[in-house]
Amino acid sequence: MAQTIAVIDYGMGNLRSVAKAVEHVVDAGDKVLVTDDPGLILSADRVVFPGQGAARDCMGAISNHHLNQAILDAAESKPFLGICMGLQVLMAFSEENGGTELLKLLPGQVRHFERNMEENGQRLKIPHMGWNRVQHIDSHPLWKDISQGSRFYFVHSYFVEPQNREIIAATTDYGIDFTSAVARDNLFAVQFHPEKSARDGLTLLRNFVQWRL
Amino acid sequence: MLAKRIIPCLDVDNGRVVKGVKFVDIRDAGDPVEVARRYDREGADEITFLDITASSDNRETIVHVVEQVASEVFIPLTVGGGIRTVDDVRRMLNAGADKVGINTAAVFNPEFVKEATDRFGSQCIVVAIDAKRVSAEGESLRWEVFTHGGRKSAGLDAIEWAKKMADYGAGEILLTSMDRDGTKIGFDLELTRAISRAVPIPVIASGGVGNLDHLVAGVKEGEADAVLAASIFHFAEYSVAEAKQYMAKRGIEVRL
């Protein structure tokens, strides 16, 4: 059955590549809408919530577009995929920009990587940029056909620390084991960029558009 | 563990790949979309386009190239060459680029880097540095930033400049040794190491790759976070996949 997938556009980041990648994996007849209209977001069958940039700017843009409630409602009611900042802003609070209040859907914080971390005598650079391994904690429909430890593309300086460890769906090692994906009911959110992660990234997006709750 | 990245670079002039690609299985080796697709299939971690179009009238062509590539190649894309204003950055990002390389414009107006990173985020701003050795034999090593294809010194110490660009919010440094560019004798490893140790952000080594050992040395001795090469991949001397396997065998973490 044809479905509608809304990609939330609040002016933060490269939505074109997210939309293109989703268009690449949907069935003919499915519609991919890039939109900031709360009505369209609420009526869509699925929602993708991307985002790039600083926490305060993201929160400002979400509020300027009057999207706070639509995002929270969608994240509680239908297949919802957060990507990068679209994961981070779901938390309660971020250390970024001297402290930023977030959407508070998920209890927990967003923290900066420690500076001066080292691995094998070489300094670990920040941002954490490039392809790193994603270790699944449990099986989940979105990991279908993706091997344990597959590499995905990351670019970020902050990571989420959910209070409820049970929602951690994957971890990644960068000086520490940080949370690289969370899952709760209809919600799945990832720190990496599936739209930039070649075949495994497209597989994850395809799993998302086919996900039956 | 984070993988070291291997980044093929395509020089694009008026929308066509230059430097004569000799892939046998590509119909149109001058078509950036076909070449990008091929690199993606071989496992490239990112692709960089360097727009060398001289006339500003023809700058739109690179935008169309990026649009086409971005709609079918799902790995990070960087575009450099001729990026001078915030509008140039926005146009490339809207076309589907993930990162934009700023070179000369940063030298002439460092505030532009600040402006661009404030507006679009550090993650998408790569500062490209063309560096050349200026120290005499026996002196302690010193490099300066050069513009105009390595012909003019900007009078800036390369290490200090890299630090400043990192402070201004650059997400990454693309470091090209103008002494080595085109020589095929390997990266300037001292330069790469000096810059990589000086800044907290990732450094991409560029300039001088002639064989796969050079890529290995760039990571192991140069301490680069990523290695960029053009001609060894262009002329299909080595595939990206071969390069990665070679590096993996020598103990370097790569995405296979």
Side-chain angles (χ1 to χ4, degrees), chain A residues 14 16 20-21 24 52 119-120 122-123 125-126 129-132 151 153 155 195-198 202, chain B residues 1-4 45-46 71 74-76 94-95 97-99 123 172 196-197 200-201 225 253-255:
Chain A
N14 192 344
R16 190 188 160 86
K20 285 280 164 205
H24 199 79
Q52 277 178 354
E119 197 167 68
N120 305 331
Q122 277 191 29
R123 169 181 196 174
K125 303 299 183 70
I126 297 169
M129 184 186 287
W131 299 77
N132 207 339
R151 289 184 185 276
Y153 185 79
V155 47
E195 77 282 10
K196 287 289 152 189
S197 296
L202 293 175
Chain B
M1 196 178 173
L2 185 64
K4 300 293 181 180
D45 295 312
E46 296 183 20
S71 58
F74 299 101
I75 58 175
N94 285 344
D98 299 284
K99 311 182 204 179
Q123 82 287 340
E172 199 169 31
S196 189
R197 287 186 178 176
I201 57 179
D225 302 283
E253 194 80 14
V254 291
R255 175 178 74 108

Side-chain angles (χ1 to χ4, degrees), chain A residues 121-162:
Chain A
Q122 277 191 29
R123 169 181 196 174
L124 290 179
K125 303 299 183 70
I126 297 169
H128 171 226
M129 184 186 287
W131 299 77
N132 207 339
R133 292 187 185 282
V134 170
Q135 305 291 347
H136 314 158
I137 302 298
D138 275 316
S139 64
H140 189 284
L142 265 67
W143 297 134
K144 185 174 164 266
D145 299 329
I146 296 171
S147 313
Q148 176 65 293
S150 290
R151 289 184 185 276
F152 286 84
Y153 185 79
F154 288 85
V155 47
H156 63 125
S157 304
Y158 292 80
F159 61 94
V160 299
E161 250 184 14

Side-chain angles (χ1 to χ4, degrees), chain B residues 219-230:
Chain B
V219 169
K220 287 200 162 171
E221 294 165 55
E223 300 180 13
D225 302 283
V227 285
L228 179 137

